[in-house]
């Protein structure tokens, strides 16, 4: 349970001044400052009861150039008879409640979450609004925003998230903990500290090769998710070497700079039950590649959390690449085979109809400089460049300083990116050689018939062999008896 929230002093105070200056720059004839909503990037520490806030990211304008958060004026009350002093003939702007484009905020959270590395995640939302507007907004409306963010980033509507209110009238910060499941809001302590400059960096390059079978009519997404599931189990069971030393729970790291982590994967002789049978098997999937992972460890956190965050970054990175492929395939479906994008072609592959090897490269990860020496990431398709990643990052994450494309780190080469390779497996009854795509698998009845005939022929051979051995033994016995009688 989160009891206290610690924010990075340098970044959050600079962000507050930016908000204040943008509001005061409007002329006196302009309407009052509009509200603003954005995301809280940080970490809900597993080893303590506090949350760390690294940055606040404003949600960009919608496709219709409208803000994701606006003021909705309260309905005017009818004047009382006689027009007494208690009547309200007009509604003040301070009575306006906050109105949100929840779907747009959730989509922004999903894209930001994809760009964050290990040890950083979207942990809530912030609001820049007056005290009166915040109080005029129903807690159910505020909880709905937090719930949508949690669903977009974590796939579940449970756990605790933050709601930070930055009031400009009067100027102050307040923080509340939102219990997503119950939609309850409770206050908590908020203080500043030096966080970003105290982060420790952990890096690793994880090489993997997963082989598993594909059954007939299995969709592309299901096949890849099954491969990632096998990889997740492998990663979770791996032992870690930190700077060349085997990790232990009492390990302390005093050296500065980035720390190198290597994972030792144990030999796994156990084969899943579903992989032991050829029934329904249409092919073999070889999921091979290399993931460049990175995680940040906050102050007063244990090294074990960095190891866990690094393992999670490996898995979430592969899932993010799969999401990118599926998103691109869903954007603008093409009817002509020539016009289809690579993602559309690969997502429409039917594995049990393949008669030739088929391979597809996942997007590769690049690192983009962000705050105080930290990085965010993006993923490049084969035809994209670092400029494309930088443009997307500027749209989703507000970069405080100008970043050149030359400073984008391409940590994964084209040859080392995650690759899916699917090829035809020679199962009993298949005729893939020389017949191309027109060849078809025999049905399971034909395969079973072939197997039974083979077993029957094998059994007949064994019976004949036994009879021959028996006859030879009888003849040998007769000859021995005859020779013995003759000698006597």
């Amino acid at each position: 349970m989160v009891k206290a929230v610690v924010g990075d002093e340098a970044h959050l105070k600079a962000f507050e001044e930016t908000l204040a200056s943008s509001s005061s720059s409007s002329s006196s004839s302009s309407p009052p400052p509009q509200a603003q909503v954005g995301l809280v990037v940080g970490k809900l520490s597993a080893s303590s009861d506090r949350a760390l806030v690294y940055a606040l990211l404003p949600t960009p304008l919608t496709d219709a150039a409208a803000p994701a958060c606006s003021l909705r004026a309260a309905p005017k009350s009818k004047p009382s008879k006689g027009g007494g002093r208690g009547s309200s003939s007009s509604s003040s702007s301070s009575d306006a409640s906050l109105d949100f484009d929840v779907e747009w905020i959730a989509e922004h959270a999903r894209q930001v979450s994809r760009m964050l590395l290990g040890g950083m995640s979207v942990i809530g939302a912030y609001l820049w609004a007056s005290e009166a507007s915040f109080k005029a907004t129903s807690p159910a409306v505020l909880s709905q925003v937090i719930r949508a963010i949690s669903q977009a980033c974590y796939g579940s509507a449970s756990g605790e998230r933050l709601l930070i209110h930055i009031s400009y009238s009067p100027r102050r910060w307040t923080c509340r903990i939102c219990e997503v499941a119950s939609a309850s809001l409770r206050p908590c302590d908020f203080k500043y500290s030096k966080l970003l400059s105290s982060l420790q960096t952990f890096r690793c390059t994880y090489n993997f090769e997963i082989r598993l079978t594909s059954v007939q009519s299995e969709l592309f997404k299901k096949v890849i998710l099954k491969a990632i599931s096998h990889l997740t189990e492998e990663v979770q069971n791996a032992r870690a070497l930190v700077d060349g030393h085997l990790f232990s729970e009492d390990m302390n790291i005093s050296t500065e700079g980035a720390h190198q982590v290597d994972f030792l994967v144990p030999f796994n002789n156990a084969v899943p039950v579903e992989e032991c049978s050829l029934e329904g098997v249409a092919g073999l999937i070889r999921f091979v590649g290399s993931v460049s992972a990175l995680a940040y460890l906050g102050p007063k956190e244990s090294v074990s959390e960095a190891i866990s965050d690094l393992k999670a970054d490996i898995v979430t990175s592969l899932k993010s690449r799969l999401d990118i492929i599926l998103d691109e395939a869903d954007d603008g479906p093409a009817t002509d085979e020539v016009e289809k994008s690579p993602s559309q072609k690969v997502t429409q592959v039917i594995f049990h109809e393949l008669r030739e090897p088929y391979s597809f490269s996942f997007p590769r990860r690049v690192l983009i400089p962000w705050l105080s020496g930290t990085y965010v990431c993006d993923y490049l398709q084969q035809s994209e460049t670092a400029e494309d990643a930088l443009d997307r990052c500027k749209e989703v994450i507000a970069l405080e300083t100008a970043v050149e494309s030359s400073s984008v780190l391409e940590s994964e080469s084209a040859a080392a990116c995650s690759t899916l390779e699917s090829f035809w497996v020679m199962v009993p009854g298949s005729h893939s050689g020389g017949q191309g795509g027109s060849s078809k698998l025999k049905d399971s009845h034909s395969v079973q018939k072939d197997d039974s005939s083979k077993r029957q022929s094998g059994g007949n051979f064994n019976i004949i062999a036994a009879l021959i051995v028996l006859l030879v033994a009888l003849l040998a016995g007769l000859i021995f008896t005859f020779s013995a009688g003759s000698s006597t």
Side-chain angles (χ1 to χ4, degrees):
M1 178 181 293
V2 177
K3 297 181 179 179
V5 177
V6 182
D8 183 73
E9 183 175 12
H11 172 73
L12 297 188
K13 287 189 175 181
F15 185 80
E16 181 184 6
E17 292 301 322
T18 302
L19 289 174
S21 60
S22 61
S23 299
S24 60
S25 61
S26 59
S27 61
S28 57
S29 60
S30 301
Q34 294 293 314
Q36 185 185 100
V37 65
L39 306 176
V40 178
V41 173
K43 183 178 183 180
L44 299 174
S45 180
S47 61
S48 65
D49 55 1
R50 63 176 187 164
L52 305 179
V53 177
Y54 298 133
L56 305 181
L57 303 179
T59 298
L61 299 178
T62 65
D63 292 335
C69 177
S70 58
L71 297 178
R72 179 173 53 189
K76 295 182 180 180
S77 59
K78 295 181 179 180
S80 60
K81 294 182 179 180
R85 294 176 61 183
S87 63
S88 176
S89 59
S90 62
S91 177
S92 172
S93 62
S94 61
D95 298 329
S97 62
L98 299 173
D99 188 29
F100 301 95
D101 189 334
V102 178
E103 292 184 1
W104 186 258
I105 297 171
E107 176 60 23
H108 180 225
R110 188 178 74 93
Q111 294 189 25
V112 169
S113 179
R114 182 184 293 172
M115 291 183 170
L116 297 176
L117 298 164
M120 289 188 180
S121 58
V122 177
I123 60 173
Y126 79 86
L127 296 174
W128 165 258
S130 65
E131 190 73 23
S133 297
F134 183 79
K135 290 182 178 179
T137 307
S138 168
V141 174
L142 299 175
S143 300
Q144 183 184 11
V145 175
I146 301 298
R147 186 181 296 109
I149 292 174
S150 178
Q151 187 69 39
C153 298
Y154 301 93
S156 65
S158 61
E160 294 181 333
R161 304 291 179 262
L162 303 186
L163 178 62
I164 297 178
H165 174 220
I166 311 171
S167 173
Y168 56 75
S169 177
R171 178 84 71 86
R172 64 181 178 184
W173 289 58
T174 56
C175 185
R176 291 169 174 79
I177 304 299
C178 178
E179 183 64 40
V180 181
S182 62
S184 62
L185 296 172
R186 57 180 173 83
C188 66
D189 296 333
F190 182 84
K191 61 181 180 180
Y192 293 107
S193 182
K194 295 181 179 179
L195 295 182
L196 289 173
S197 59
S198 304
L199 293 179
Q200 296 187 74
T201 304
F202 291 78
R203 300 175 181 270
C204 85
T205 299
Y206 189 81
N207 303 310
F208 62 91
E209 183 173 356
I210 304 294
R211 295 174 182 265
L212 67 159
T213 57
S214 171
V215 299
Q216 294 185 9
S217 303
E218 203 165 25
L219 300 177
F220 170 81
K221 180 180 179 180
K222 185 177 180 180
V223 170
I224 305 304
L225 286 177
K226 185 167 67 172
I228 294 177
S229 177
H230 282 260
L231 178 65
T232 302
E233 183 178 355
E234 177 184 285
V235 172
Q236 294 301 327
N237 294 329
R239 299 291 300 274
L241 290 175
V242 182
D243 295 332
H245 302 283
L246 187 63
F247 165 75
S248 60
E249 292 295 336
D250 58 349
M251 174 179 284
N252 292 320
I253 296 180
S254 58
T255 58
E256 297 182 356
H259 304 284
Q260 181 64 35
V261 177
D262 298 293
F263 287 111
L264 305 177
V265 180
F267 290 105
N268 186 12
N269 295 324
V271 180
V273 177
E274 65 272 13
E275 311 296 344
C276 297
S277 173
L278 286 177
E279 182 178 359
V281 172
L284 181 66
I285 303 300
R286 180 171 173 261
F287 193 52
V288 58
S290 178
V291 175
S292 177
L294 192 147
Y296 295 106
L297 184 66
K300 299 181 180 180
E301 292 185 311
S302 62
V303 181
S304 61
E305 288 191 54
I307 302 301
S308 299
D309 292 337
L310 207 54
K311 290 181 177 181
D313 186 57
I314 295 172
V315 176
T316 55
S317 174
L318 292 174
K319 290 182 178 179
S320 295
R321 302 173 206 233
L322 176 60
D323 290 340
I324 291 173
I325 294 172
L326 297 176
D327 289 346
E328 185 180 90
D330 292 338
D331 293 340
T335 56
D336 189 357
E337 187 70 24
V338 179
E339 296 178 358
K340 290 181 180 179
S341 66
S343 295
Q344 288 174 323
K345 292 179 180 179
V346 71
T347 52
Q348 295 176 10
V349 167
I350 302 176
F351 288 94
H352 72 275
E353 293 183 356
L354 293 175
R355 294 299 182 270
E356 295 179 357
Y358 185 87
S359 62
F360 180 79
S361 295
F362 272 29
R364 53 193 175 92
R365 172 182 264 184
V366 294
L367 303 180
I368 303 171
W370 191 33
L371 300 173
S372 302
T374 62
Y375 288 87
V376 290
C377 72
D378 194 28
Y379 300 92
L380 295 181
Q381 298 279 24
Q382 293 181 357
S383 60
E384 293 181 326
T385 62
E387 287 81 1
D388 298 317
L390 197 56
D391 291 339
R392 279 193 296 267
C393 186
K394 290 177 180 178
E395 293 178 2
V396 178
I397 297 178
L399 299 177
E400 295 185 346
T401 58
V403 178
E404 299 294 335
S405 58
S406 58
S407 60
V408 176
L409 301 181
E410 300 192 24
S411 54
E412 296 175 354
S413 63
C417 65
S418 303
T419 304
L420 165 71
E421 186 177 353
S422 173
F423 55 93
W424 185 255
V425 62
M426 297 299 294
V427 297
S430 65
H431 298 282
S432 59
Q435 295 186 16
S438 62
S439 61
K440 299 293 182 181
L441 266 179
K442 292 184 178 181
D443 56 21
S444 58
H445 177 73
S446 300
V447 175
Q448 293 175 359
K449 185 176 180 180
D450 291 343
D451 291 341
S452 62
S453 63
K454 290 179 180 179
R455 289 194 297 267
Q456 184 177 0
S457 61
N460 294 336
F461 175 78
N462 293 335
I463 294 174
I464 294 174
L467 291 175
I468 293 175
V469 171
L470 181 60
L471 291 175
V472 171
L474 290 174
L475 291 174
L478 291 173
I479 294 173
F480 178 77
T481 304
F482 178 77
S483 60
S486 300
S487 61
T488 58

